[in-house]
């Protein structure tokens, strides 16, 4: 027996890896019991030293952050890297930001993107990826809304789970930031106050969905929830995550200010402090020695960490993670595919889009963003791809013999002249990392938007160009909703390209010229005015999160948004017919199958995102007018009809009963809608079923 095996009571890491199931758990238990308190606590923190941390401020995320690891026992460290628009290490593929990918409503695409990121992370020395950001943007002006998939818990959960599925073929995935992290500038101190029902039904279901998908880790948020910092919050971590949901993985803190107190964090349920040990080092050891933290709490954390490492240790195919997989041809093609699919066509009067190449001799591309590499903010999600195709380059690449002129838009008279002298004008305006994004105190970057309007100069530019030509196409860039009121009636066509990644310009051009039929649908409501939105204070020390936000709030208050959740136009028409429900009545443990026929009645092939909403005409409690409970993408050739199928489980219709401390499915009638957006006129098909009995 080796010395290490003796100290580890006969068990070392290789023995853990060889075992499976219950035997592995027993081996981990033995291994942990053979570790000294110091060794155990070393598993519970990042190992980035202060010097490296200082360097990191300037070369943030250029190297993986390590945590734990034990040479004596052969336990490897975790090697963390970030996302979510790609792998934050050098030269990775840059995909459209998550909000853009939310607009694709494409689970399979997201899974493939997750796989690509997993491979690229692994090829760059990382095995732990922190880019599954699934916070719900209660207000679309949240600076990091671009990192998440949209405003709806179901959409967030489905796409988050798809990303986890893809990633975990290669690396451990971490879903973040648990929970209620949705005000950037106040993130280090704000106390989000909310009721249990709101927490469970609105802010947590997507985390549960990722836990059910087997996500390896959860990152606690910086902010407080109902008084306690998330990393200390035993209600969130112990009662709900590890208790009710049976999560067996590990919980890590957000970086640097994510942990504030050794005792509270350990007792609260935090397993790893990142990225270095400030509290989970000497302070935690003292707390254990003095009896303030039972050693069993440390053992539980270490058990989770080792269990997680062990279950992923054998993953993937180690010889396949070569450097040439980073930004390889296949991944770049995937970035291009997602850039094409994420663009949402918001307005297209008189079918001025697509631009027919044969009808045009000159197109004026206008606006400084047209010529700028604009792929998102510069915070922890920053990706540095080998190249970025700007809108201008993309349009030039695809224009064929059409002459493309460019004007920055700085001088309005020159912009108007350029537009007048062309057959069509494409104006690119929007936001950059200066307007929105992750923010760090004292550094001028990112932050929240209390006002969703475009910068005034951009609005002036749009109006000027619109007055100069009747073929003005406005392309918006940004990570979330933007107000279009005030200028939207002046222009015939508007689309949003978000921050579309390294292939964004090519994706945009494919849509403009009709090489691709737009299929994106808004994952977030675009309001008409700022005051339609929930109260937002980016410096709030404490804030109340109510039950309603997004389309649920618009429905309830009967407000008209500028563009509703789920909305997006195409270059073809889709017809909806023939709704079929598998039963008129199901039990509370049952499920209903819903089918509808979708036909492409236009002349161009395309994809329709078919959405299923449920309404609650009768309920024991106040409920949203309707909620998204299903979606699917259907590809249709002209003239083709296909059936979209969904399954809705009765348990998906439950509400959280605070008094009973559990989920309740009303015995009642439910309305099912199938349609093309959340707008009433777009809910083309309607059926009714009943839930009763067991
Ligand atoms: C961010 C996290 C990120 C971490 C490490 C923090 O500032 O809030 O989202 O994972 O940095 O990059």
């Amino acid at each position: 027996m080796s010395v290490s095996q003796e100290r580890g009571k006969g068990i070392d890491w290789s023995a853990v890896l060889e075992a499976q199931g219950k035997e592995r758990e027993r081996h981990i238990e033995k291994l942990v019991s053979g570790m000294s308190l110091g060794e155990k606590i070393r598993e519970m923190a990042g190992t980035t030293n202060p010097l490296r941390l200082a360097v990191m401020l300037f070369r943030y995320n250029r190297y993986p952050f390590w945590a734990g690891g034990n040479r004596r026992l052969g336990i490897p460290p975790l090697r963390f890297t970030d996302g979510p628009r790609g792998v934050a290490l050098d030269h990775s593929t840059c995909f459209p930001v998550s909000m853009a990918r939310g607009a694709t409503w494409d689970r399979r695409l997201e899974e493939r993107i997750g796989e690509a990121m997993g491979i690229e992370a692994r090829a760059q020395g990382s095995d732990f990826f922190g880019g599954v950001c699934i916070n719900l943007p209660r207000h679309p002006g949240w600076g990091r809304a671009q990192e998440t998939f949209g405003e709806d818990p179901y959409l967030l959960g489905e796409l988050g789970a798809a990303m986890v599925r893809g990633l975990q073929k290669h690396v451990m995935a971490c879903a973040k930031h648990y929970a209620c992290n949705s005000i950037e500038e106040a993130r280090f101190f704000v106390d989000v106050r909310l009721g249990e029902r709101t927490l469970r039904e609105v802010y947590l279901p997507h985390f549960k969905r990722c836990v059910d998908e087997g996500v390896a880790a959860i990152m606690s948020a910086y902010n407080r929830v109902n008084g306690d910092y998330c990393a200390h919050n035993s209600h969130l971590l112990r009662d709900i995550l590890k208790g009710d949901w049976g999560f067996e993985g590990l919980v890590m803190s957000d970086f640097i200010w994510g942990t504030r107190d050794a005792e509270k964090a350990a007792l609260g349920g935090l397993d790893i402090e990142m990225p270095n040990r400030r509290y989970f080092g000497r302070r935690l050891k003292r707390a254990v020695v003095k009896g303030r933290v039972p050693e069993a709490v440390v053992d539980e954390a270490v058990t989770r960490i080792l269990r997680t490492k062990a279950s992923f240790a054998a993953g993937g195919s180690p010889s396949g993670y070569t450097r040439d997989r980073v930004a390889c041809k296949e991944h770049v093609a995937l970035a291009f595919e997602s850039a094409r699919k994420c663009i949402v066509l918001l307005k297209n009067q008189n079918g001025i889009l697509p631009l027919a190449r044969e009808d045009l001799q000159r197109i004026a591309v206008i606006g400084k963003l047209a010529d700028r590499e604009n792929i998102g903010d510069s915070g922890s999600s920053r990706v540095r791809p080998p190249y970025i195709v700007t809108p201008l380059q993309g349009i030039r690449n695809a224009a064929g013999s059409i002459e493309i002129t460019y004007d920055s838009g700085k001088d309005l008279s020159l912009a108007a002249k350029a537009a007048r002298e062309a057959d069509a004008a494409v104006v690119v305006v929007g936001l950059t990392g200066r307007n929105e994004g992750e923010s760090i105190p004292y550094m001028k970057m990112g932050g929240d938007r209390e006002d969703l309007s475009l910068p005034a100069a951009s609005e002036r530019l749009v109006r000027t160009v619109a007055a100069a030509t009747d073929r003005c196409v406005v392309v918006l860039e940004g990570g979330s909703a933007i107000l279009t009121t005030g200028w939207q009636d002046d222009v015939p066509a508007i689309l949003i390209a978000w921050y579309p990644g390294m292939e964004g310009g090519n994706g945009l051009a494919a849509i403009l010229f009709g090489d691709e039929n737009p299929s994106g649908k808004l994952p977030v409501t675009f309001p008409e005015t700022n005051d339609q939105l929930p109260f937002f204070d980016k410096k709030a020390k404490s804030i109340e999160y109510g039950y309603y936000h997004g389309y649920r709030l618009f429905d309830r208050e009967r407000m008209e948004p500028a563009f509703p959740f789920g909305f997006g136009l195409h270059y073809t028409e889709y017809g909806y017919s023939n709704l079929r429900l598998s039963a008129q009545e199901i039990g509370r443990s049952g499920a209903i199958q819903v089918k509808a026929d979708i036909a492409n009645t236009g002349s161009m092939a395309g994809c329709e995102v078919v959405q299923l909403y449920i309404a609650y005409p009768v309920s024991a409690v106040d409920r949203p007018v309707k909620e998204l409970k299903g979606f699917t993408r259907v590809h249709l050739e002209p003239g083709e009809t296909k059936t979209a199928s969904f399954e809705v489980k009765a348990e998906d219709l439950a509400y959280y009963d605070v008094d009973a401390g559990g989920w309740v499915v009303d015995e009642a009638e439910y309305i099912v809608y199938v349609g093309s957006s959340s707008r009433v006129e777009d809910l083309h098909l309607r059926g009714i079923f009943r839930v009763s009995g067991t």
Side-chain angles (χ1 to χ4, degrees), residues 60-61 82 144 176-177 187 219 222 254-255 380 438:
Y60 196 70
N61 266 333
D82 228 316
R144 295 180 74 176
K176 66 190 185 187
H177 313 78
R187 64 177 166 161
M219 184 191 287
Y222 287 121
D254 203 342
F255 281 42
S380 58
E438 190 169 350

Side-chain angles (χ1 to χ4, degrees), residues 141-422:
W142 172 39
R144 295 180 74 176
Q146 61 185 279
E147 288 187 55
T148 190
F149 296 107
E151 73 181 29
D152 180 85
Y154 179 76
L155 179 63
L156 271 172
E158 286 303 296
L159 293 183
M163 190 180 187
V164 168
R165 256 194 321 277
L167 281 164
Q168 294 202 157
K169 292 178 188 164
H170 307 284
V171 290
M172 291 165 263
C174 175
K176 66 190 185 187
H177 313 78
Y178 184 75
C180 303
N181 177 339
S182 42
I183 309 178
E184 183 54 15
E185 289 172 53
R187 64 177 166 161
F188 297 122
F189 49 82
V190 65
D191 183 17
V192 174
R193 323 269 331 172
L194 74 177
E196 192 66 15
R197 185 170 169 218
T198 304
L199 178 69
R200 301 264 187 166
E201 288 184 30
V202 182
Y203 290 91
L204 297 190
H206 30 291
F207 283 99
K208 165 130 189 341
R209 178 71 185 82
C210 288
V211 167
D212 291 344
E213 196 62 48
V215 73
I218 295 286
M219 184 191 287
S220 56
Y222 287 121
N223 51 282
R224 305 173 204 227
V225 168
N226 290 334
D228 287 329
Y229 283 111
C230 289
H232 308 171
N233 198 313
S234 62
H235 184 52
L236 285 177
L237 300 180
R238 292 208 182 275
D239 301 346
I240 299 178
L241 177 67
K242 296 179 176 181
D244 292 356
W245 300 350
F247 175 62
E248 296 203 321
L250 64 91
V251 178
M252 64 180 272
S253 72
D254 203 342
F255 281 42
I256 307 182
W257 296 287
T259 315
R260 311 282 184 129
D261 183 287
E263 199 179 315
K264 286 184 183 158
L267 295 175
L270 182 73
D271 302 313
I272 299 185
E273 177 188 14
M274 284 299 271
N276 59 340
R277 63 175 64 89
R278 288 168 71 210
Y279 296 97
F280 280 8
R282 249 177 298 162
R283 285 170 163 135
L284 178 56
K285 196 166 176 186
R286 209 177 315 129
V288 175
V289 171
K290 300 258 180 214
R292 293 195 304 267
V293 172
E295 192 160 348
V297 167
V298 169
D299 290 354
E300 190 233 279
V302 179
T303 301
R304 286 175 176 275
I305 296 165
L306 299 187
R307 178 194 292 144
T308 309
K309 286 183 185 178
S311 54
F312 286 90
S317 54
S319 59
Y321 302 114
T322 47
R323 261 319 275 216
D324 58 0
R325 303 294 298 276
V326 180
C328 62
K329 231 172 67 208
E330 295 77 24
H331 296 175
V332 170
L334 199 55
F336 180 38
E337 178 182 340
S338 44
R340 293 191 313 263
K341 285 184 171 170
C342 74
I343 291 171
V344 184
L345 181 60
L346 297 172
K347 181 173 181 186
N348 192 17
Q349 220 170 351
N350 308 325
I352 82 152
L353 286 175
L355 300 171
R357 287 189 179 85
E358 58 283 6
D359 294 347
L360 304 166
Q361 265 143 34
R362 183 185 291 165
I363 298 175
V365 177
I366 299 170
K368 58 180 190 296
L369 288 189
D371 194 26
R372 177 162 169 170
E373 299 184 342
N374 193 21
I375 54 172
D377 81 348
S378 303
S380 58
S381 66
R382 179 169 177 188
V383 174
R384 303 163 182 87
Y387 66 86
I388 297 162
V389 182
T390 64
L392 179 60
Q393 281 162 3
I395 292 170
R396 287 206 162 120
N397 293 344
S401 60
I402 305 171
E403 184 194 350
I404 304 296
T405 63
Y406 172 65
D407 184 89
S408 72
K410 216 167 151 202
D411 180 329
L412 293 181
S413 58
L414 291 180
K417 183 166 177 281
R420 264 195 312 273
E421 289 172 356

Side-chain angles (χ1 to χ4, degrees), residues 151-154 201-202 525 547-557 624-629:
E151 73 181 29
D152 180 85
Y154 179 76
E201 288 184 30
V202 182
T525 307
Y547 185 72
Y548 288 97
H549 78 288
Y551 67 86
R552 292 165 171 82
L553 180 65
F554 278 78
D555 280 354
R556 181 183 172 82
E557 302 293 324
V625 172
K626 63 176 179 298
E627 293 183 291
L628 182 75
K629 295 289 179 190

Side-chain angles (χ1 to χ4, degrees), residues 42 69 323 335 369 576 684:
R42 273 195 293 282
R323 261 319 275 216
L369 288 189
Y576 283 67
H684 309 293

